[in-house]
Amino acid sequence: MAAVSLIGSYNYALVALSVLIAIFASYAVLDLAGRVTAAGGWTRAVWLLGGAGALGTGIWSMHYIGMLALILPIPVSYHWPTVLLSLLAAILASVVALRVVSRRKMGALRALAGSVLMGAGISSMHYIGMAAMRLSAICQFNSFLVVLSVVFAILISLAALWIAFHFRDEKRGIGWEKLAGAVVMGAAIPVMHYTGMAAANFTPSGMPANLSYAVSISTLGTAGIAAVTFMVIGLALLTSWMDRRFAAQTLELQEEKLRQSESYLAEAQRLTHTGSWIWRVAGREALHLSEEWYRLYGFDPEKGPPAWEERLQRVHPEDRAKWQGAIDRAIGEKSDYEVEFRILLPGGTVKYIHTIGHPVLNASGDLVQFVGNSMDISAGKRAEEALRQAQADLARVNRVTTMGELTASLAHELNQPIAAAITNANTCLRWLTRDHPDVEEARAAVMRIAKDGTRAAEIISRIRLLFKKGTPQRELVDVNEVIREMIVLLGGETTRYSISARTELAADLPQVMGDRVQLQQVLMNLMINGIDAMKDVDGTRELSIKSQPAENEQLLVSVSDTGVGLPPQQADQIFNAFFTTKPHGTGMGLRISRSIVESHGGRLWAADNLPRGARFYFTLPTKVEADG
């Protein structure tokens, strides 16, 4: 006669409690998954293990309360080592679940593998737990329902992983959304358990149950399991909540510090007139433009970043090619770029901008964007212009002062052609007032008058040029011709002090691009310094001017004297402003001369002229370069 199966019933209060625990555990999964995802390093490992312990305890507790909800007509005890083994299986399944859902990305293959492992763990926990039952009956399983319970475990695990992954973000999943996900998961998980319970069939056995290491779970024990489970999961949720609050406070503090830093940066940019920017190479799209950048370029930040063409239109028409060329070279070479240019604002205001850009490459070495800054240097440019004007005015004052010292010499220079012209005029009158006028002699006298007048006019013209104030004009200049002019202009001074002026000028010397008046001023300063150095010395007084080609397409001019020489221990100071060894000198002549030579691309220096005196050299480039 076949054995009659034991008919059991369910305590629906415990069934409801098991579902409630499943929902509570599911909510814990959603909450703890966010903490594991947000953590890093050893903190991540702590949250993973602690969360898996709390979650595993919840799943295990749901399972055992669900088993205790089954009321059989015979007493049932549980082998506690096997019970602990089922708890371990639940925790391992929870570790798998949390590791999968805490990844930055969860692909289909990873989700499927995770759901299989998690489902296998839950199924193992269930059937290991049932193996812990000790009762006077034989338990047989319905193979179909067993397989169906395992399938349910895998499918429910897949759904649980998907829900947990998408609701793990605490900013998206707090409140009703997370609670709804927990209810869905909590209702689905018991389906597997009760399907597995339905697969079991108990038939009475005449053999007594092996009760070694077995315990009987009373109603109080059931309440204890539930209470401990709620406490463990509640403690995990409380810890998560406190950690989240602490993280939120830390984030708020960091955001406040970031806002302060951005405020300080914006203020620093405003004070230095520097705007930062980032633009993407593909499409030339602006990714970031600071508030100061908008102010510099005159764009409205409320309207958003201007298009590339709008930015190009802000660049001064004369500087667009230079600006675009610098950027194109930087893109082609994947290199930094630095360029100065002007921008033209709608109201007509012109600003000078200095921009520095740095390339940003991706992992493949491709150029993706440029970061950099733009600085308004208009004030500096105006200061440079004012300085150049002040230097020009000072140079003119220096010329005027020097010419004042040459008044006697100039008077002598002008007196000679004028006196000669008067003499020739009187001679012409005598030839014309004779009884028989000699027209040929008179014509010769008139020609001499014209020659003397031309000579006087040339002297006056050179003096006017030296006094003239205006913008320097660059032109091709014959340096040898300028030297000869200054020899003539200072001829009175050399004669006055018994100084012999000697020249050694190279033939076919290339011309230089320069300002004729400024180069005259340099030679005049050097020659007058030589004359002043020799006028009180005994012995030979010789002023020598020499020109010759030099290396690197330059020419070299030297002015040497046999005077007192360079000041001992102070030779390196003679080009400093206001340094002078003359009783009534300004100390600006050599300083201005060096500035003029350097503005022409050359160099001015001094050396001793052995055996006595000083020699000054200056170079000038002969290669004419187009203005850039």
Side-chain angles (χ1 to χ4, degrees), residues 10 63 103 118 145 263 275 298 307 333 392 453 501 589 625:
Y10 279 96
H63 162 73
R103 297 282 184 175
M118 182 178 175
L145 291 179
S263 175
E333 300 172 1
E625 296 182 357

Side-chain angles (χ1 to χ4, degrees), residues 222-246:
T222 303
I225 292 174
V228 170
T229 300
F230 281 114
M231 288 177 61
V232 170
I233 298 178
L235 182 61
L237 289 175
L238 178 63
T239 306
S240 175
W241 178 82
M242 293 178 62
D243 183 71
R244 187 185 301 109
R245 290 288 300 171
F246 178 74

Side-chain angles (χ1 to χ4, degrees), residues 446-521:
V446 170
M447 290 178 66
R448 289 194 295 275
I449 292 172
K451 183 178 179 181
D452 292 332
T454 301
R455 180 184 172 195
E458 289 177 349
I459 294 173
I460 293 172
S461 176
R462 283 194 292 269
I463 294 171
R464 288 181 65 187
L465 284 174
L466 288 172
F467 275 89
K468 183 179 179 181
K469 178 181 180 181
T471 304
Q473 299 294 324
R474 295 292 175 96
E475 59 183 350
L476 287 173
V477 178
D478 185 338
V479 174
N480 285 344
E481 184 180 338
V482 174
I483 294 173
R484 295 187 189 99
E485 289 173 352
M486 300 314 299
I487 289 289
V488 173
L489 186 62
L490 298 176
E493 286 293 286
T494 55
T495 302
R496 178 182 175 186
Y497 295 109
S498 302
I499 296 173
S500 66
R502 184 174 61 85
T503 61
E504 186 178 340
L505 309 180
D508 300 324
L509 197 66
Q511 293 182 322
V512 300
M513 180 63 73
D515 183 271
R516 188 183 192 88
V517 174
Q518 289 185 339
L519 295 179
Q520 285 177 333
Q521 181 176 355

Side-chain angles (χ1 to χ4, degrees), residues 119-264:
I122 293 175
S123 300
S124 299
M125 173 207 67
H126 176 81
Y127 289 106
I128 291 173
M130 293 196 70
M133 297 176 70
R134 296 293 184 263
L135 69 169
S136 298
I138 298 173
C139 181
Q140 295 176 324
F141 289 96
N142 184 313
S143 301
F144 173 76
L145 291 179
V146 169
V147 172
L148 184 61
S149 69
V150 174
V151 172
F152 279 159
I154 293 173
L155 293 179
I156 291 170
S157 297
L158 181 61
L161 291 178
W162 186 90
I163 293 173
F165 182 80
H166 287 84
F167 285 95
R168 67 182 183 174
D169 188 350
E170 52 198 273
K171 294 182 179 179
R172 292 174 46 201
I174 289 178
W176 294 109
E177 292 182 353
K178 181 181 289 186
L179 184 59
V183 170
V184 172
M185 287 177 61
I189 291 174
V191 170
M192 176 269 158
H193 170 79
Y194 288 106
T195 302
M197 291 294 291
N201 182 39
F202 298 94
T203 57
S205 171
M207 297 291 294
N210 182 9
L211 298 179
S212 60
Y213 300 103
V215 293
S216 177
I217 307 298
S218 63
T219 303
L220 183 61
T222 303
I225 292 174
V228 170
T229 300
F230 281 114
M231 288 177 61
V232 170
I233 298 178
L235 182 61
L237 289 175
L238 178 63
T239 306
S240 175
W241 178 82
M242 293 178 62
D243 183 71
R244 187 185 301 109
R245 290 288 300 171
F246 178 74
Q249 292 175 355
T250 303
L251 181 61
E252 289 177 2
L253 182 61
Q254 291 175 344
E255 289 177 347
E256 179 61 27
K257 289 182 178 180
L258 180 60
R259 283 192 294 270
Q260 288 183 353
S261 298
E262 290 177 345
S263 175
Y264 295 151

